Amino acid sequence: MENTAGQLQINNVTKRFGAHAAIDQVTLEIPQGKFVTLLGPSGCGKTTLLRMIAGFYEPDTGTISLDGSRIDQLPPHQRSTAMVFQDYALFPHMTVRDNVAYGLRLAKVAKPDIQRRVNQTLDFLGLGSLGDRWPNQLSGGQQQRVALARALIVEPKVLLLDEPLSNLDANFRERMRWELRSLQQRLNITFLYVTHDQNEALAMSDWVAVMNAGHVEQWGTPRQIYHAPNGAFVATFIGTANLREATILRREREHVFVSLAENMISIPTLEASSTNESVLLCIRPEVIAISRIRRDEANVNLAGHVTRLAFLGHLTRYWVEVAGEEWIVDQPDPGSAEIAYEGDVILSFEPQHVHIISSP
Ligand SMILES: Nc1ncnc2c1ncn2[C@@H]1O[C@H](COP(=O)(O)OP(=O)(O)OP(=O)(O)O)[C@@H](O)[C@H]1O
Ligand SMILES: [Mg+2]
């Protein structure tokens, strides 16, 4: 089943439904053998893009290539891609074995070969004992594996997965994340995975394309899109962010000075930014410490007032008003602090944890 090809090139692809562009001039280079995720809110075009790659929709403009050859004109079964659908779409009138054999029968593979490869694939995915069952005799997780087996048996170069875990309970979903990730590494084929769940995207992916309204907003590693979002959309879609408008007052060597909540702060950055430029400052809730007292002068210190809080088990989230604006602050390990903060507090964070977003 091992395969080392699978570099996918999506070049300036647009797909309209009526006047609405579900995918609008998208260009993406999906590297071979990586776990790549399309992440974005409902309706942003994820399924539409996947279906164009699989061959179920035709792009209006643009090209799709695999290992340097165009595939966008080929029928689905000649593309070396396979797709796992969100609802699994197993054939209800076929046993597990026949479901898995389907793609090989379509390709007119010889009967003994089909039998051998079906057995191999069922064993590979831990389904060996379930071959004679019907889909309605399987749990959701088992159905999901059968759907995977049916896709993998054709030995695709690229496996396309459309929110395959969304029907599973939270604990099982977390285990399956890990299983899919290690499956991808064992097979060394390209996985293109669709989700609107940011945690899933961060936990599983080598690369993430954050999508919004038919566009790719940002391409990056999980750490890049979390720590260095390129705009307000990515900053707020991936996790929670305190975003503050600010103006660059001046630059001094490797620092810029900005004014924030009536304080002048100095932020270490090498990124180019010009005096008087309007920027957004992105400060994640977990880099902010909250206290009643104070103040480490090496840090940014902001005086505020707790307006509400929520105990979330592994942390306590505070909403704090600072100079008329609301800040969100996460405090870890609330179990060790018997008393929650209320009233007047000091928020404190290190300047290097402020990420500057240019040209908001
Ligand atoms: N066959 C279709 N005919 C008309 N409009 C469509 C069709 N398929 C999708 N759309 C529209 O295109 C846009 C993108 O849909 P798509 O299914 O790709 O979104 P998605 O990102 O997969 O969303 P979700 O996370 O909810 O699955 C939506 O506005 C949707 O209504
Ligand atoms: Mg979808």
Side-chain angles (χ1 to χ4, degrees), residues 17 20 22 40-49 57 86 163 196:
F17 295 110
H20 173 71
S42 190
C44 74
K46 305 180 296 294
T47 297
T48 303
L49 185 55
Y57 287 157
Q86 178 168 354
E163 311 221 24
H196 59 255

Side-chain angles (χ1 to χ4, degrees), residues 43-65:
C44 74
K46 305 180 296 294
T47 297
T48 303
L49 185 55
L50 223 54
R51 285 180 156 266
M52 283 192 281
I53 297 166
F56 302 120
Y57 287 157
E58 207 179 314
D60 295 333
T61 63
T63 61
I64 301 172
S65 306

Side-chain angles (χ1 to χ4, degrees), residues 91 94 97-107 118 150 153:
F91 304 118
M94 291 186 193
R97 187 174 291 284
D98 289 340
N99 263 282
V100 174
Y102 181 80
L104 298 185
R105 294 211 173 110
L106 207 64
V118 167
R150 192 177 58 177
I153 199 165

